[in-house]
Amino acid sequence: MGQGNVFYPLIPAGLHWGEALIISVMGGLAAAFTYHLIARRLSGKDLKREDIETQDGKSSQGLIGVINGAGSDAIRLALGSVPMLILSLTVVGILKASGAIAGLTALVAPLLAFFNINISDVYVMPALTKILAGGTAYYGVMTEIIHKGLMTPQQINASAVFLIQTFDLPGIGIFLGIASRFVRLFRYALPGALIGIVIRGIIHVIIS
């Protein structure tokens, strides 16, 4: 599914938010259906026991206790994602400063031309930033590229299909830090996420 903190700020730059939102929802449904097919035979006993233990622990709490517990969980998740985010941004900064990204762009361009793939090399930096540093960093890079006039609205919409989603290293780190069950289920959720992104791309090609 797409990220609202990236979707809406890109609307003034030419992002077709209605189309992008519909494609995002359809991709999410495809990913959920894929996960259902793969993981429907998994045992739910451990998950039910964890839910019962969680409910029993919260049943004796009042409203203030529930609010405080939810707030502490949110802070824990936010703090838990900081190391991964810092590491990702550091890696992106090192690659950019060392000229590795420029070299990768120069390497990719002839390959795309050789295989007659009509993809601009302007996507290299946003894609690498998205994978390593997440959606917020991707939006920052996109803003800089757009202000320089290096990306058209059509290219913005094309990149949104594949790059505005939560499947990146910081996103995976946040999901895996929510509970131990996500670590066990991640290998089943991974194919669904990849298929959902592919379905989004196919829908975009059909609509365009």
Side-chain angles (χ1 to χ4, degrees):
M1 298 291 289
Q3 300 163 272
N5 64 328
V6 181
F7 262 136
Y8 297 106
L10 287 178
I11 293 175
L15 178 66
H16 300 154
W17 70 272
E19 177 183 311
L21 191 60
I22 293 173
I23 292 175
S24 174
V25 171
M26 296 180 71
L29 292 175
F33 180 70
T34 303
Y35 173 79
H36 172 71
L37 292 179
I38 296 174
R40 61 181 174 178
R41 298 186 183 277
L42 295 177
S43 174
K45 292 181 180 180
D46 293 338
L47 300 182
K48 291 180 180 179
R49 186 174 65 251
E50 290 181 11
D51 290 337
I52 292 174
E53 292 175 354
T54 301
Q55 292 175 1
D56 291 341
K58 292 184 178 180
S59 60
S60 60
Q61 296 180 350
L63 177 61
I64 300 300
V66 173
I67 294 175
N68 289 337
S72 63
D73 288 342
I75 294 174
R76 177 178 58 82
L77 291 176
L79 293 178
S81 66
V82 170
M84 176 69 77
L85 183 59
I86 293 176
L87 177 61
S88 301
L89 290 174
T90 302
V91 171
V92 172
I94 292 174
L95 292 176
K96 187 176 180 179
S98 64
I101 294 180
L104 180 62
T105 302
L107 178 64
V108 168
L111 293 176
L112 295 177
F114 177 78
F115 290 103
N116 198 25
I117 301 176
N118 189 22
I119 299 178
S120 174
D121 55 6
V122 75
Y123 294 117
V124 174
M125 180 63 178
L128 188 60
T129 303
K130 166 62 183 174
I131 294 171
L132 295 178
T136 303
Y138 160 78
Y139 170 68
V141 171
M142 285 291 291
T143 301
E144 181 180 354
I145 293 175
I146 293 170
H147 286 170
K148 291 181 179 179
L150 301 177
M151 187 171 284
T152 65
Q154 183 179 5
Q155 292 173 323
I156 294 173
N157 284 277
S159 69
V161 174
F162 295 99
L163 300 180
I164 302 183
Q165 30 82 11
T166 56
F167 187 64
D168 48 51
L169 290 181
I172 292 173
I174 292 174
F175 284 125
L176 294 182
I178 292 176
S180 60
R181 69 177 65 175
F182 284 91
V183 179
R184 300 195 300 270
L185 297 177
F186 178 72
R187 64 181 182 273
Y188 301 103
L190 178 61
L194 296 176
I195 291 175
I197 294 173
V198 172
I199 293 295
R200 287 174 56 168
I202 294 174
I203 296 174
H204 173 75
V205 172
I206 294 174
I207 293 178
S208 302

